[in-house]
Amino acid sequence: MNQLRNLITDIPGLRVGNAEDAALGSGVTVALFDEPAVVSFFAMGGAPATRETDLLDPDKMVPGIHGVVLSGGSAFGLDAASGVQAFLRERGIGFAVRDALVPLVSQASSFDLVNGGNKNWGRYPPYRELGYEAALNAGLDFTLGTAGGGYGATTANLKGGLGSTSAVTSAGHAVGALVVVNSVSSAVIGNGPHFWAGALEENEEFGGHGHPDRVGPEKRKLIWKGGPQPATTIALVATDAVLTKGQAKRLAIASHAGLARALRFSHALFDGDAIFAAATGRRPLRDEASEFTELTALAADCLTRAIARGVYEATALPYPGAQPAWRDLFETT
């Protein structure tokens, strides 16, 4: 395997692109597969915004899809998948049915409609064009933090953002995570700078602060946005292993442990917490039980790390009263 980027694009057969609009205060991130990937999905939040997720269930006929979109914009943002479809169709990519060609693109969106950006877009929201632009930008390297679907993301007390990490299992399978951190709760312990994910950090990827010596009751006090404000952390985990749709579903379910470890708290009534799991099918499982179990564990670990990294890499939005970024408060701590 080539030198790792610590990005989900360390999984062969997958590219990622971002597009954002600073005036809008929102954006789109797209993961495109070189070949149709086996993908499944599981949502545990109480308020998800999704498109084309039913076809990912193991009992549905579609064997693979062409892309996954993570966007801002709440239900309006679901238009982004149309732009990605247009990009793929122009290039002759899609599920062929006689003379028709239908690119299959699934999506989840997060709620970033009250972050200070200008959401008065007129008749139609701009997410279709942002989706097309993000697909056009897809490659192996991409920006983290205040970028793409994470551009307008916030947490309870710090600017959220786009995060990604990767790892390799003991059997050599690549696994990684891509996440838009827009949580109703907090990614840091108390008033920071320590991340809840600190125990799993690698190579100081989110500041190297680890955990405090003790997490007492005062540091466990719930910090959250409060009231009926939706806030969603949405993610894609991926591997180069050969998986069935049933195994991909189990991978998506198991990866929700990564949300629970990185945020205090997750899966709440106003959360739309949702995870896609993709397999690009480059490396068969030799010892299915043990290798798949390790994949589920490392995928959750990658997601935990990616959430902290998304907050760590973020910069504040350019609006009066915008949330501070982690680096604004703790860069020299």
Side-chain angles (χ1 to χ4, degrees):
M1 193 171 184
N2 294 329
Q3 185 174 358
L4 299 181
R5 298 174 176 82
N6 197 24
L7 297 171
I8 196 171
T9 47
D10 288 327
I11 286 75
L14 186 157
R15 294 168 289 126
V16 171
N18 290 327
E20 56 275 328
D21 183 324
L24 176 70
S26 190
V28 174
T29 296
V30 176
L32 297 179
F33 305 113
D34 294 346
E35 302 292 337
V38 173
V39 180
S40 197
F41 170 85
F42 197 70
M44 289 184 67
T50 60
R51 170 173 167 161
E52 290 279 52
T53 54
D54 282 355
L55 59 79
L56 305 179
D57 280 339
D59 65 322
K60 301 303 188 288
M61 63 162 283
V62 172
I65 67 171
H66 305 95
V68 169
V69 180
L70 306 177
S71 80
S74 189
F76 298 106
L78 296 176
D79 278 357
S82 294
V84 180
Q85 280 187 307
F87 173 88
L88 293 170
R89 188 168 181 264
E90 286 177 353
R91 288 150 181 81
I93 298 170
F95 186 65
V97 183
R98 298 179 62 180
D99 295 334
L101 189 67
V102 184
L104 299 177
V105 180
S106 297
Q107 181 176 354
S109 292
S110 66
F111 183 92
D112 60 3
L113 299 180
V114 293
N115 61 9
N118 180 10
K119 307 303 191 291
N120 295 318
W121 48 63
R123 176 168 293 176
Y124 298 112
Y127 290 95
R128 182 175 63 182
E129 296 306 317
L130 286 170
Y132 186 96
E133 182 182 348
L136 190 65
N137 292 336
L140 297 180
D141 294 302
F142 57 95
T143 303
L144 300 180
T146 303
Y151 188 90
T154 59
T155 73
N157 49 359
L158 294 171
K159 176 69 177 70
L162 183 70
S164 189
T165 60
S166 68
V168 179
T169 72
S170 60
H173 294 289
V175 60
L178 177 71
V179 61
V180 171
V181 188
N182 187 63
S183 62
V184 72
S185 57
S186 176
V188 296
I189 300 172
N191 294 319
H194 303 91
F195 286 96
W196 289 106
L200 296 177
E201 184 174 13
E202 296 187 9
N203 300 318
E204 299 189 358
E205 63 194 343
F206 40 88
H209 289 274
H211 268 178
D213 294 336
R214 181 175 179 271
V215 182
E218 73 284 356
K219 292 182 179 178
R220 298 197 302 270
K221 183 178 179 181
L222 292 184
I223 302 170
W224 64 298
K225 290 176 178 176
Q229 179 180 332
T232 304
T233 299
I234 50 179
L236 167 68
V237 297
T239 177
D240 62 355
V242 176
L243 300 183
T244 66
K245 283 178 78 175
Q247 289 171 322
K249 179 89 171 186
R250 177 52 49 188
L251 183 60
I253 293 169
S255 295
H256 275 275
L259 285 174
R261 285 198 298 255
L263 299 167
R264 178 162 167 83
F265 45 94
S266 61
H267 309 128
L269 178 62
F270 297 114
D271 283 334
D273 295 347
I275 299 176
F276 297 91
T280 60
R282 302 297 180 91
R283 292 173 57 94
L285 298 174
R286 293 169 296 178
D287 182 343
E288 183 173 320
S290 64
E291 291 183 20
F292 181 69
T293 298
E294 186 180 3
L295 271 178
T296 62
L298 287 191
D301 287 352
C302 283
L303 183 52
T304 299
R305 293 163 46 214
I307 289 170
R309 198 176 184 201
V311 175
Y312 173 74
E313 296 286 355
T315 55
L317 290 172
Y319 315 130
Q323 277 187 328
W326 185 95
R327 294 185 183 215
D328 294 335
L329 302 179
F330 308 120
E331 187 69 82
T332 59
T333 300

